[in-house]
Amino acid sequence: MKLIDEQALLDMTLGSTILGSGGGGDPHVGMLLARDAIRKHGPVPLVDLEEVPDDANIVFIAGIGAPGVLIEKLPRAAEYERVLQELERFTGQRYDYVCPAEAGGLNAVTPFACAAPSGVPVIDADGMGRAFPKLEMVTPTLYGGKATPFVMLDEHGNTMFAETATNAWAEDYARAGVLASGANAAMALYPMTGAEAKQRLVRGALTTASDIGRAIREAREQHVNPVQAVLDQQDGVLLFTGKVQSVQRQNKDGWTIGEATMVGLDAFEGQDFVMYFQNENLAATRNGEFVATTPDLIMAMELDSGEPIPSEVIRYGYRVAVIGLPADAHWRTPAGVEISGPRRFGYDTDFRAVEEIAG
């Protein structure tokens, strides 16, 4: 176990932007919520999954909505302070630990905004090892885990409780609810035991986020290439370097959906590149051919500083390096590809590992 204080949040926040694969919401916003909760209630324990008793009760904490909405409509601390209490009221069950549903984007750090006032630790694991746009796209689904009972709170004082037949239905009901409330809400979902978590979750996900953030920070301090530092640490692939020529983006059906088109620089001069996103970057083509698809991670970074560029803020004129990182092993199984691969999002291509097709 280690204590997460304000300083420890910073590297985690930066690294979680990379793991967001363009989505997950702005982690800086989540960091501000978590930082304020830690200032008020004290540092939060971060525990290794192996330290968790098998009979402990665990639940994911996450925000849901369209990242593009968060630019103008920030989430509030009040919903994260109450969401665990509301789930306990609904279920009559005490929860001993909280855990991020995804280690990418805002949802990597919002569990700390819940844990600090609730007095519970955060587990160093998650259900994705990245970010995905749909609730059922978590590793517990691969093992029969249930998204419900869940609770969702919005800024208007509404509380939505649900039990659903499938995790896909949980996504549909939650998406309809968050659309009605303005595309921004807090959730507690996927209750599980410690024994189930040890089988189902991506271990060390928050440590991975911290390691990535530290690699970028140290590269900047040493005046070396932060993009290359991330590629080296995470066994990633450079997909493209170029300049953003155009971005088409809209907030639709509770997601931020669009594409960014780029022209090549340096070794990629004369080539073109398109990155497609639905909250997260889901596919990328170079000269019309797929070079990366979900479930592998696709992320744009500012070419000189290495600053990660989420899908809701990428715009004309950015000079970027686009990197591909291998997904956690859970997602590269047939079952993982079935629920999170490119065909699930309507792309007419089979999944191939980014390191195999991007050369």
Side-chain angles (χ1 to χ4, degrees):
M1 183 185 74
K2 55 186 174 183
L3 292 177
I4 300 300
D5 56 17
E6 291 184 40
Q7 184 59 44
L9 280 174
L10 296 179
D11 284 344
M12 188 183 296
T13 298
L14 181 57
S16 70
T17 315
I18 297 289
L19 293 181
S21 192
D26 185 351
H28 182 72
V29 174
M31 185 276 292
L32 294 176
L33 292 174
R35 185 193 66 185
D36 288 350
I38 288 171
R39 285 180 177 178
K40 184 176 180 180
H41 300 282
V44 175
L46 180 68
V47 302
D48 187 273
L49 195 51
E50 287 304 317
E51 301 177 54
V52 177
D54 285 350
D55 61 353
N57 292 307
I58 300 162
V59 67
F60 286 158
I61 302 296
I64 180 174
V69 171
L70 297 184
I71 295 174
E72 299 182 359
K73 182 182 177 183
L74 299 178
R76 305 189 313 165
E79 284 73 59
Y80 289 96
E81 291 172 355
R82 291 180 44 231
V83 69
L84 184 63
Q85 297 171 7
E86 290 299 307
L87 182 66
E88 290 179 340
R89 180 170 71 88
F90 178 48
T91 62
Q93 175 69 62
R94 168 76 179 176
Y95 291 90
D96 308 297
Y97 299 85
V98 297
C99 183
E102 54 188 6
L106 171 145
N107 282 329
V109 289
T110 48
F112 294 94
C114 173
S118 301
V120 298
V122 176
I123 296 175
D124 185 11
D126 85 321
M128 299 183 192
R130 50 159 299 155
F132 277 123
K134 296 188 177 185
L135 294 186
E136 72 268 27
M137 294 175 178
V138 292
T139 50
T141 299
L142 304 178
Y143 297 92
K146 302 289 288 183
T148 60
F150 75 51
V151 63
M152 184 169 70
L153 278 64
D154 72 11
E155 64 179 326
H156 308 293
N158 299 308
T159 303
M160 176 180 175
F161 303 105
E163 293 183 292
T164 61
T166 68
N167 294 347
W169 275 111
E171 160 65 31
D172 290 343
Y173 279 106
R175 193 66 52 180
V178 78
L179 272 172
S181 68
N184 183 2
M187 297 190 73
L189 68 168
Y190 281 96
M192 68 193 84
T193 67
E196 290 168 338
K198 289 171 186 175
Q199 177 195 36
R200 298 172 179 175
L201 299 187
V202 178
R203 295 169 182 255
L206 294 180
T207 294
T208 298
S210 297
D211 289 346
I212 294 171
R214 184 170 57 253
I216 295 172
R217 174 175 54 80
E218 291 177 350
R220 290 170 176 171
E221 292 170 352
Q222 298 164 14
H223 304 289
V224 297
N225 187 341
V227 174
Q228 192 60 50
V230 174
L231 293 175
D232 291 343
Q233 185 195 78
Q234 297 296 312
D235 295 325
V237 176
L238 179 65
L239 300 174
F240 198 70
T241 57
K243 180 179 178 181
V244 178
Q245 288 292 95
S246 65
V247 178
Q248 300 177 34
R249 177 171 47 230
Q250 60 179 323
N251 293 318
K252 180 181 179 182
D253 298 331
W255 291 292
T256 298
I257 298 173
E259 61 186 62
T261 301
M262 309 170 199
V263 294
L265 297 172
D266 303 326
F268 295 92
E269 188 171 356
Q271 302 185 50
D272 60 80
F273 191 87
V274 183
M275 190 166 62
Y276 303 90
F277 53 85
Q278 179 179 327
N279 288 6
E280 287 71 41
N281 300 320
L282 299 176
T285 59
R286 190 172 64 218
N287 304 325
E289 299 291 333
F290 285 101
V291 290
T293 71
T294 179
D296 284 344
L297 289 74
I298 305 164
M299 189 66 206
M301 303 174 68
E302 202 279 325
L303 196 54
D304 297 320
S305 70
E307 189 68 22
I309 307 171
S311 62
E312 69 267 25
V313 300
I314 195 168
R315 63 182 184 271
Y316 170 80
Y318 268 117
R319 291 165 50 88
V320 302
V322 183
I323 64 173
L325 303 180
D328 182 81
H330 286 284
W331 297 118
R332 288 184 164 191
T333 63
V337 171
E338 182 178 357
I339 70 167
S340 68
R343 294 193 182 278
R344 180 67 187 275
F345 295 96
Y347 299 105
D348 187 19
T349 187
D350 292 326
F351 170 73
R352 292 173 56 200
V354 66
E355 62 270 24
E356 295 179 6
I357 65 174

